[in-house]
Amino acid sequence: MRTQPLPDFVSADVDLAGRTTLALPGRAAYVAEVSSCRQLAQLASLRSARRFVLGGGSNVVLSGDFDGLLLQMAIAGRELLAEDADAWYVRAGAGESWHQLVLWTLACGWPGLENLALIPGTVGAAPIQNIGAYGLELADRFQSLEAFDVERGRLLQLDRAACRFAYRDSVFKQQGWHLDGSHVVTSVSLRLPKDWRPLTGYADLAAELDHRRLARPDALQIADAVIAVRNRKLPDPATVPNAGSFFQNPLVSAELGGRLRRDFPELPCHVQPDGRIKIAAGWLIEQAGWKGRDLGRVGMYEKQALVLVNRGGARGSEVMALARAVQDAVRQRFAVELSPEPVLL
Ligand code: NAP
């Protein structure tokens, strides 16, 4: 890459301090500020040892310097593509803020994304891990996406089946595309059905609506309640750097789940359609003694044990040391393996 002149939207030796919500130190050999598909096509000709796509930086642990090309996605735009008797169809550029998209659809009078309010990150990152919250996941509202295949230099359209969505999972993770930067999401299209029904079954959300005496909330009221619950439980990265939930909620076999339920009747468990049991990672971490506990300059947040926070000045190695300590403690106590949600870069 160094033998060719750099396009004007690519910078060399860039400080990454402000680019991830965990606020970890590190520099990138190159950063491309990508605001169009045309720029992605230009990048296809640049050879780089490593490539990584960065959105809002809310799901990344920087282990140190990154000796490659970081694609900072900034493709903007959101629009109503179509409307029929059944639904509104909206499209947004990969660089848009997910939360701002949710607020925009609600302000336009198109319900459907309210349970996903205040999830950090960009629109382009949303399908990678099939973001979800309070009983709704992106896959439920997904229509299609466009992704640029960097190696072949062409734009692909992926429908819901092609994205192979599962719990916090998609073809991008299954194929390792999220790690090698070979397929870059450029826009996402959603289908918001007019036959809207409130999803208010989750205990925290139900309690908040109850507290507000909203027996039949509309979508905006649900979004407000979700925002309030999240603000109460989750730290604002601007003041307490963090990457949201640091571990996935484990899906265990019916056999292991049954055993855990017998041994720990308080353990929050949810049976999945495929018979596996989803257990609350936050509860496991709390019971293993890590809620509100620090290791050096990092710790597990006192109001939500699933969130790993940077208490100030931490390095990526400290984050990973704490993650390993928490994994070890949970494994010893429950024989359950916790998988980190963020990508280690
Ligand atoms: P929570 O509501 O305390 O739930 C903990 C666990 O119990 C999660 O595995 C959740 O499943 C499950 N659960 C709770 N109530 C359930 C119900 N009525 N039916 C089925 N499963 C139920 O979790 P939290 O940590 O405070 O987070 C709130 C919501 O935000 C959760 O839905 C969580 O998954 C979501 N969240 C998502 C991301 C992300 O997409 N990366 C990051 C942070 C939080 P689910 O995980 O399937 O909801």
Side-chain angles (χ1 to χ4, degrees), residues 129 132-134 167-168 202 233 245 249 270 278 304 341:
Q129 62 156 325
Y134 305 106
Y167 183 64
R168 305 289 180 267
Y202 271 46
K233 285 181 87 171
S245 297
N249 292 305
H270 298 277
K278 187 173 58 189
Q304 163 56 293
E341 209 167 83

Side-chain angles (χ1 to χ4, degrees), residues 53 128 147-150 152 156 172 177-178 180-185:
V53 184
I128 309 298
F148 192 77
D149 177 341
V150 181
R152 293 178 185 78
L156 307 174
F172 288 85
W177 294 342
H178 69 313
D180 64 16
S182 61
H183 293 67
V184 183
V185 176

Side-chain angles (χ1 to χ4, degrees), residues 50-53 66 128 172-173 175-182 343-345:
R50 290 172 75 197
R51 213 168 20 221
F52 186 76
V53 184
F66 179 66
I128 309 298
F172 288 85
K173 288 173 81 172
Q175 298 289 340
W177 294 342
H178 69 313
L179 297 178
D180 64 16
S182 61
V343 170
L344 178 67
L345 191 60

